[in-house]
Amino acid sequence: MLCSGAIGVLRYTCGMFIKLTRSKSRTYAQLVESFRDEQGQPRQRTVATLGRVDEDGGTVDAVLRTLLRAKGRSGVDITTPQVRFESALALGDVWALDQLWRELGFDALAAVFRRARYTTPIEQAIRVMVFNRLCDADSKLGTLRWLQTVSMPGVDADKLSHQQLLRSMDALMDHQDAVNDTVAHLLRPLIDEELSVVFYDLTTIRAQGLSEQGGDVRRFGMSKEGLIARQFMLGVVQTADGMPIHHEVFAGNAAEAPTLLPMLGTLLKRYPHIRRLVIVADRGLLSLDNVAALSELKLPSGQPMEFILAVPGRRYSEFAEVLQAMQAKMADASCEVIEETRWGEHRLVIAHDPVTAQEQSAQRQGKIDALHVRAAELAGKLDAQDDGVMRRGRKLSDSGAKARFFHEVSDAHLSRIIKVDLQSDVFTYALDTQALQRAALMDGKLMLVTNVADLSATEVVQRYKALADIERGFKVLKSEIEIAPVFHRLPERIRAHASICFMALILYRVMRQRLKLAGSPLSPEAALASLRRIQRHSVSIDNGAPVSGISSINQDQAATMAALKVKKLSNELQLSLL
């Protein structure tokens, strides 16, 4: 407390403060006045000794209680501060994703739904579902539970419901064209308009449920894992840099080849600025109809569509004469050999890998040897029965032996080489040596059909092999993003789920590119796991207003944020408990 006074013409100032003094092991609080005497020299005098500081319930506590009552806070326990901690919420991972979301321009989706006069924050709900796929993929109800554990910027977790998430998915599909145009606009700077090499492939996504819906995309078909399952097909287009730029959902029993042209038509409408486009696609997409249609397809710039398509293994026999002519050179090779010839009006590039060829030949011969042993076992059992030798189990007939062996040959995919005579009265089979030689001729071969004129045969092979990166993207979708299994039953909800996962894949690939360019050893999932340990804490003292702060950021977390090029978190308020 400050005061002023005057004696005659001499003015002086004085102040009061608390002074702590020690006597042996005890500490005392004294009220001390600071002043200047008549000569202007600073002086101090003890006004009162308030009591011992280290004594509970003493004079010092009585003075404090009196002052607190005067402040209207008489219910506060002055001996021990009342500190209440709220649950800590993960902040670092959703903060980084939110920064990327806004930097890339995904927040422009909010304008799409505002123009459609939605009163609920649709973009906010979509953002929550996308971030959940990357941080802790779960169902829509699980997403709400996850949201209670994070501090997502600009999102009030208590105001978001399960119905809002589902309605936001419906809104996403109701305005799919506008949403797709917005996403395409933000991806355009990432696409080289002078020469864009894009890769297209499909994968199968497992779906659950037995109900049937109108326009249902859940159909039974052969999955990529080799099983018959209820599923839908997901086609993805990505750039040579691994950036996904388009996706389509197809029925689960759709053939792969017919999906190529509709996808390309949509792609060209969405990215009309591309002057030259080379599409690279896998084996299942090669058909005579596709090749003919691709040859006639034109870009908006007038340039013809260019393509690199792999020849499926089931059609290798059509090129037996071509391969036979090159076999002499390829048979003695110790490293990969790449040759080129013509196939109609197009180039046919053939790559031979001797190591792969040797492995495939050895695997096939191993299966053939095992089937020979199995055939001998069946024949021996039949002969023993004819000699009157009885064995445990059911009696084997020649028809039964033929059926068993035929199924085993089919399961080994060797029915073109090992011929089981199903018409014979006795169990018999033969090895087709010519078919075996043709199969050996195909071992280690990669055959590509292309109309790209300015790429060498080696460059064509390298472009195709880069298609393996899209397979890694499918692996991310099925593992980290957990797109499957899908429990939605309505076709539009399934498409909305695929769109949400596609947006998550874009963020994942952007993170991967930035971490790689920065030389970080972390994967995107490892980077998010590290940032997740940055938490927001809230604390209130003596029933005061809650004060929030974030946990300390270590050197590795700061380096991760720098690699991702996101703004580093900082404490806006430092809380003092003194």
Side-chain angles (χ1 to χ4, degrees):
M1 162 176 143
L2 296 176
C3 62
S4 63
I7 300 177
V9 296
L10 179 64
R11 300 181 61 86
Y12 68 96
T13 62
C14 68
M16 295 287 189
F17 63 93
I18 300 296
K19 178 180 179 182
L20 300 180
T21 60
R22 294 187 63 83
S23 175
K24 297 183 180 179
S25 60
R26 300 174 179 178
T27 302
Y28 293 88
Q30 296 178 329
L31 181 63
V32 178
E33 179 186 14
S34 176
F35 66 97
R36 291 183 180 273
D37 60 15
E38 295 180 353
Q39 285 75 35
Q41 298 298 317
R43 295 285 186 269
Q44 294 180 357
R45 58 171 170 255
T46 300
V47 176
T49 298
L50 301 178
R52 288 172 52 187
V53 175
D54 53 359
E55 180 183 24
D56 291 335
T59 309
V60 172
D61 288 347
V63 171
L64 289 175
R65 279 193 291 270
T66 301
L67 292 174
L68 288 171
R69 280 197 299 271
K71 293 284 292 181
R73 298 171 60 187
S74 58
V76 177
D77 184 1
I78 61 171
T79 58
T80 303
Q82 295 181 347
V83 181
R84 186 179 73 252
F85 293 92
E86 305 293 340
S87 297
L89 301 176
L91 173 64
D93 52 350
V94 292
W95 167 270
L97 291 172
D98 187 76
Q99 294 289 303
L100 291 173
W101 178 269
R102 299 180 188 282
E103 178 188 343
L104 293 175
F106 278 105
D107 54 339
L109 292 174
V112 172
F113 299 108
R114 278 199 303 269
R115 288 193 295 270
R117 300 187 181 280
Y118 282 91
T119 57
T120 55
I122 303 297
E123 179 271 340
Q124 187 180 106
I126 294 172
R127 177 158 39 105
V128 167
M129 290 184 282
V130 170
F131 289 6
N132 174 255
R133 306 317 300 179
L134 291 164
C135 296
D136 187 16
D138 208 334
S139 65
K140 302 304 175 284
L141 283 173
T143 298
L144 294 177
R145 291 191 293 269
W146 165 80
L147 190 58
Q148 296 293 331
T149 68
V150 300
S151 177
M152 186 175 292
V155 176
D156 187 346
D158 295 329
K159 293 183 179 180
L160 203 58
S161 68
H162 182 234
Q163 284 299 315
Q164 282 181 299
L165 295 182
L166 296 179
R167 295 294 177 262
S168 297
M169 296 177 71
D170 296 338
L172 187 63
M173 289 297 99
D174 291 341
H175 302 276
Q176 185 176 15
D177 290 339
V179 170
N180 289 340
D181 289 343
T182 300
V183 175
H185 179 75
L186 65 91
L187 289 175
R188 282 175 189 172
L190 306 177
I191 302 175
D192 185 357
E193 63 181 36
E194 298 298 329
L195 170 59
S196 292
V197 179
V198 298
F199 302 87
Y200 176 59
D201 203 358
L202 294 104
T203 190
T204 55
I205 306 298
R206 188 75 62 87
Q208 300 293 333
L210 299 175
S211 65
E212 292 289 341
Q213 307 295 324
D216 208 335
V217 295
R218 300 173 299 167
R219 297 297 179 190
F220 284 96
M222 182 64 72
S223 69
K224 293 294 184 179
E225 293 78 22
L227 302 173
I228 300 295
R230 198 173 195 192
Q231 60 189 17
F232 64 89
M233 304 279 287
L234 179 66
V236 174
V237 182
Q238 73 173 37
T239 66
D241 296 327
M243 182 59 61
I245 60 174
H246 180 62
H247 79 284
E248 290 278 355
V249 172
F250 302 98
N253 58 355
E256 293 188 15
T259 67
L260 180 59
L261 293 177
M263 181 280 306
L264 284 176
T266 305
L267 185 69
L268 294 179
K269 290 179 182 178
R270 196 153 293 158
Y271 300 99
H273 68 294
I274 298 177
R275 296 189 178 91
R276 183 185 178 191
L277 184 66
V278 179
I279 180 75
V280 182
D282 208 358
R283 292 176 170 87
L285 297 163
L286 178 71
S287 69
L288 294 177
D289 292 338
N290 274 346
V291 172
L294 286 173
S295 301
E296 298 176 359
L297 202 58
K298 301 290 184 181
L299 300 179
S301 63
Q303 286 277 78
M305 170 70 69
E306 297 174 277
F307 57 85
I308 299 173
L309 300 178
V311 178
R314 65 180 181 276
R315 299 189 60 179
Y316 276 19
S317 58
E318 300 175 22
F319 303 89
E321 294 183 3
V322 175
L323 294 174
Q324 190 64 51
M326 300 179 178
Q327 184 61 19
K329 181 177 181 180
M330 294 180 174
D332 300 329
S334 58
C335 58
E336 187 177 48
V337 177
I338 299 176
E339 296 290 336
E340 181 179 344
T341 186
R342 301 295 298 180
W343 183 63
E345 300 178 356
H346 305 295
R347 300 168 63 191
L348 177 64
V349 177
I350 303 171
H352 174 76
D353 185 349
V355 176
T356 303
Q358 186 177 7
E359 292 175 352
Q360 291 175 343
S361 296
Q363 289 176 358
R364 183 189 305 106
Q365 190 59 49
K367 292 180 180 180
I368 292 173
D369 292 342
L371 287 169
H372 280 316
V373 173
R374 176 60 173 159
E377 291 177 358
L378 294 172
K381 187 173 183 179
L382 290 171
D383 292 340
Q385 288 178 173
D386 293 340
D387 294 337
V389 178
M390 302 302 295
R391 296 183 180 179
R392 296 180 62 184
R394 297 177 60 184
K395 186 177 180 180
L396 182 66
S397 65
D398 285 277
S399 297
K402 287 186 295 182
R404 287 187 189 181
F405 192 64
F406 176 76
H407 284 300
E408 292 178 15
V409 169
S410 299
D411 290 342
H413 303 287
L414 293 173
S415 56
R416 295 185 179 182
I417 298 173
I418 298 178
K419 305 291 186 180
V420 182
D421 190 350
L422 298 176
Q423 303 300 320
S424 174
D425 293 334
V426 296
F427 171 51
T428 181
Y429 73 97
L431 185 68
D432 189 335
T433 56
Q434 290 185 348
L436 180 58
Q437 290 174 358
R438 285 196 300 270
L441 189 65
M442 312 300 173
D443 288 341
K445 302 295 191 300
L446 172 64
M447 304 176 66
L448 303 171
V449 175
T450 181
N451 65 343
V452 182
D454 58 350
L455 292 180
S456 67
T458 301
E459 291 172 328
V460 169
V461 173
Q462 290 174 345
R463 292 291 190 184
Y464 174 78
K465 289 184 176 180
L467 185 65
D469 189 61
I470 201 170
E471 294 291 344
R472 287 189 285 272
F474 287 145
K475 183 179 179 181
V476 170
L477 277 172
K478 293 182 179 182
S479 56
E480 281 78 10
I481 297 177
E482 296 185 25
I483 189 174
V486 176
F487 292 90
H488 295 288
R489 57 184 180 84
L490 300 178
E492 294 306 299
R493 293 267 176 90
I494 292 175
R495 290 188 172 92
H497 175 74
S499 295
I500 289 168
C501 293
F502 179 74
M503 294 180 198
L505 181 61
I506 293 174
L507 290 175
Y508 183 97
R509 287 304 180 100
V510 169
M511 292 175 65
R512 189 188 72 164
Q513 287 181 356
R514 294 189 178 185
L515 290 169
K516 185 176 180 181
L517 288 174
S520 173
L522 297 179
S523 63
E525 52 268 24
L528 290 175
S530 174
L531 296 178
R532 193 171 298 128
R533 293 193 292 271
I534 302 175
Q535 299 178 329
R536 180 179 295 280
H537 300 269
S538 294
V539 60
S540 60
I541 301 176
D542 292 338
N543 295 322
V547 179
S548 297
I550 64 171
S551 58
S552 59
I553 300 174
N554 61 38
Q555 187 175 356
D556 291 339
Q557 291 165 338
T560 300
M561 285 190 170
L564 293 175
K565 299 180 180 179
V566 299
K567 181 181 177 182
K568 183 180 176 181
L569 280 162
S570 60
N571 265 323
E572 298 179 356
L573 178 63
Q574 296 293 335
L575 180 64
S576 175
L577 298 180
L578 295 180

